[in-house]
Amino acid sequence: MSTPTLATVSPKFSEAMLNDIIRDYGGHKCTSWRFGDDSFGKGDSYLSEVYRMEIEDETAVAEGAADGQPLKVKMVVKTIPKNVGRRKTFRSDDFFRNEFNFYNVVISEFIKFQNSKQPKKPFDEWSKYLAGFSNGVNDFIAMEDLSPFGYGAASRRDGVGLAECILCMQTLGRFHALSLALKDQQPDKFHLLVKNVEETYYAQRLKPWYNNFIKVQIGIARDAIGQEYGGTELEKKVEKFFDCDLYDKMVYLTHTRNQNSVINHGDCWMPNFLFRYDANGVPVAVKMIDFQLARYSSPALDISFFIYSCTTQELRDAHYKELLQAYHQSLTEMLRDLGSNPDELFPFSELEKELHEFARFGCGMGIESVPFSLLEEHECPDLDLIQGEEAVPIEKVWILKNIKTKEGRQRLADVFKHAIDCGYLD
């Protein structure tokens, strides 16, 4: 493989842009740059090509560097695939545009609003945005690399424990509170803001792109439930859930809005949460990454996606109410700090209403995310083998088969068991 260049990332990724990044960190100019080793899993980035990169200013000393070390900035750069067939197959331009707008407009306004209120525990659980460009061909997004600060990914297969899940729920609570408070206090600004995120997964215009693939997922889910809960009342209730046009149901869930709707992260599965641990292995902080699926919808979409993609049935049985309370307490504290009344704006009863109406979304996403989470590295396709410049049906590329192990089938089936027990599929 040849050594990457700036043009490998994008013709718009220039030395002038590197100079701007260095200056943003207090330096003068970028005097050198280098790409790092690619350490990203094949299954973690379908929509992008991803690079690690370090830039340096030898004329400036890093802040706090007692030994006079030069200023260095490490970053992760996502770029739209160069393979045109791959790019069109996965509609990468739509996802890059959505994330570019999220960083340049949405989160920018959120942080301005937050800074004006000075909350005791601000929302800072995201990677610093450094630069980007979007035109559908030369798109890229450069973010601060969080690994030097001790952040790393959890296992997609093994999931995480209660402590990590509470951190994630608290983070989602603070993030959603920004939407609710801004909508409460500056509704005109908020409703202009939400026009900058678009639904990238579930919309009637996208049904031909995704509908055949969702049918594959339904078949896998039916097989798992049939093997683990065949002939039971649970199987009958799940069949009722599938006895419709599931894609249309997901469109309804993502597009139905009310006074509680917020800007969602949109892709709340484990690869998009990075954790930092103390010396004893206790998780102390989390960051969310990858906002390509950001959408305006019920907060229950993010919550249910996370719960059903990232937690085990054992953890849900023991701690589900605790997780919801962690989310709501965090949201409540943030709303109060931002100057809104949480008791009027979003009491716990409203959270329960949202979940009863919209948490079935997590089941619809779980039939994709759980089978993907169970894939071994060698089972993930090499997307750059897509030939030509035309889109390929995604079910021909994202190859999912019936789950082989009882443990894996149980994990998928238990998504529905929990939702049914909570009354979410009534």
Side-chain angles (χ1 to χ4, degrees):
M1 182 182 293
S2 60
T3 303
T5 66
L6 297 185
T8 304
V9 173
S10 167
K12 300 296 183 180
F13 192 58
S14 63
E15 290 190 10
M17 197 165 278
L18 299 185
N19 290 337
D20 289 340
I21 293 171
I22 283 288
R23 282 192 286 268
D24 189 46
Y25 279 82
H28 308 295
K29 64 178 181 178
C30 176
T31 57
S32 64
W33 50 266
R34 66 192 64 84
F35 286 94
D37 295 332
D38 182 7
S39 55
F40 295 91
K42 279 174 26 182
D44 292 343
S45 186
Y46 285 106
L47 303 172
S48 318
E49 296 171 1
V50 187
Y51 301 90
R52 290 194 189 275
M53 190 176 183
E54 180 180 273
I55 60 178
E56 184 175 294
D57 181 1
E58 295 173 353
T59 70
V61 176
E63 182 178 354
D67 53 359
Q69 287 294 311
L71 174 64
K72 296 179 181 180
V73 178
K74 293 186 176 183
M75 55 189 178
V76 173
V77 188
K78 298 195 302 186
T79 179
I80 200 166
K82 306 301 182 293
N83 180 317
V84 177
R86 172 182 172 184
R87 191 164 72 216
K88 290 182 178 179
T89 295
F90 294 102
R91 303 178 22 257
S92 295
D93 55 333
D94 288 349
F95 292 94
F96 267 88
R97 179 177 62 251
N98 197 44
E99 188 169 30
F100 179 83
N101 289 335
F102 175 83
Y103 283 123
N104 283 278
V105 182
V106 176
I107 196 67
S108 176
E109 286 297 328
F110 276 172
I111 299 307
K112 286 179 187 176
F113 175 64
Q114 177 175 261
N115 289 342
S116 73
K117 303 293 182 176
Q118 294 294 303
K120 292 189 288 289
K121 188 170 179 54
F123 173 71
D124 62 0
E125 290 96 342
W126 60 295
S127 178
K128 183 178 179 180
Y129 171 79
L130 303 179
F133 182 82
S134 176
N135 69 351
V137 178
N138 300 314
D139 306 46
F140 73 90
I141 290 174
M143 311 296 299
E144 187 173 59
D145 187 350
L146 294 170
S147 60
F149 304 101
Y151 288 90
S155 167
R156 283 189 302 170
R157 287 181 58 87
D158 300 334
V160 292
L162 176 62
E164 286 95 342
C165 289
I166 286 178
L167 281 175
C168 291
M169 294 294 277
Q170 291 170 334
T171 293
L172 286 174
R174 278 191 294 279
F175 177 53
H176 291 168
L178 289 168
S179 286
L180 292 172
L182 185 60
K183 181 164 54 173
D184 176 43
Q185 297 172 38
Q186 300 178 38
D188 291 343
K189 175 177 282 189
F190 178 78
H191 288 295
L192 285 175
L193 204 60
V194 300
K195 294 180 179 180
N196 290 279
V197 293
E198 59 187 283
E199 178 54 50
T200 52
Y201 231 70
Y202 298 108
Q204 283 303 324
R205 66 184 176 84
L206 302 176
K207 189 171 183 178
W209 172 71
Y210 194 77
N211 201 45
N212 286 340
F213 187 49
I214 208 170
K215 291 177 181 177
V216 173
Q217 298 165 31
I218 292 170
I220 292 170
R222 279 179 165 145
D223 177 76
I225 292 160
Q227 292 202 52
E228 303 307 320
Y229 290 102
T232 66
E233 192 64 27
L234 183 144
E235 185 181 37
K236 293 178 183 177
K237 289 187 176 182
V238 174
E239 273 305 310
K240 186 177 179 181
F241 176 76
F242 287 141
D243 187 21
C244 66
D245 189 316
L246 182 58
Y247 188 85
D248 286 351
K249 180 179 288 187
M250 298 294 277
V251 171
Y252 168 82
L253 293 171
T254 52
H255 286 75
T256 301
R257 289 151 189 170
N258 58 30
Q259 75 277 8
N260 298 324
S261 301
V262 298
I263 293 178
N264 278 228
H265 175 277
D267 198 9
C268 287
W269 75 318
M270 201 45 67
N272 292 332
F273 291 91
L274 303 180
F275 297 94
R276 181 165 58 83
Y277 296 85
D278 66 15
N280 297 316
V282 176
V284 294
V286 65
K287 299 281 187 180
M288 293 195 298
I289 60 171
D290 194 350
F291 289 84
Q292 290 187 317
L293 273 68
R295 58 166 60 95
Y296 177 46
S297 52
S298 169
L301 270 60
D302 268 353
I303 295 169
S304 63
F305 190 171
F306 177 81
I307 291 294
Y308 291 136
S309 296
C310 305
T311 67
T312 62
Q313 182 72 358
E314 182 182 14
L315 189 146
R316 292 190 291 267
D317 284 343
H319 301 291
Y320 182 55
K321 189 68 175 289
E322 185 178 349
L323 291 174
L324 295 184
Q325 289 171 337
Y327 167 87
H328 189 258
Q329 182 178 351
S330 178
L331 178 143
T332 295
E333 292 171 354
M334 184 67 156
L335 283 176
R336 190 171 285 116
D337 282 353
L338 293 173
S340 289
N341 184 339
D343 298 327
E344 294 181 359
L345 206 57
F346 199 73
F348 194 80
S349 60
E350 285 298 304
L351 172 59
E352 291 178 315
K353 287 179 183 177
E354 291 293 310
L355 289 166
H356 276 280
E357 184 170 356
F358 296 104
R360 65 192 64 200
F361 175 83
C363 298
M365 285 304 304
I367 65 173
E368 177 188 304
S369 62
V370 172
F372 268 123
S373 298
L374 297 172
L375 290 178
E376 300 286 355
E377 180 78 11
H378 71 272
E379 295 178 296
C380 298
D382 185 346
L383 302 180
D384 283 326
L385 294 179
I386 295 174
Q387 297 180 354
E389 297 191 354
E390 297 303 323
V392 176
I394 56 175
E395 69 274 10
K396 304 293 185 183
V397 182
W398 272 340
I399 305 299
L400 291 180
K401 299 179 181 179
N402 289 343
I403 299 171
K404 301 174 185 177
T405 66
K406 179 177 178 61
E407 180 186 21
R409 292 191 299 269
Q410 192 76 47
R411 179 177 164 189
L412 179 53
D414 281 344
V415 165
F416 292 92
K417 183 178 187 304
H418 182 269
I420 289 168
D421 289 345
C422 291
Y424 297 157
L425 298 190
D426 291 346

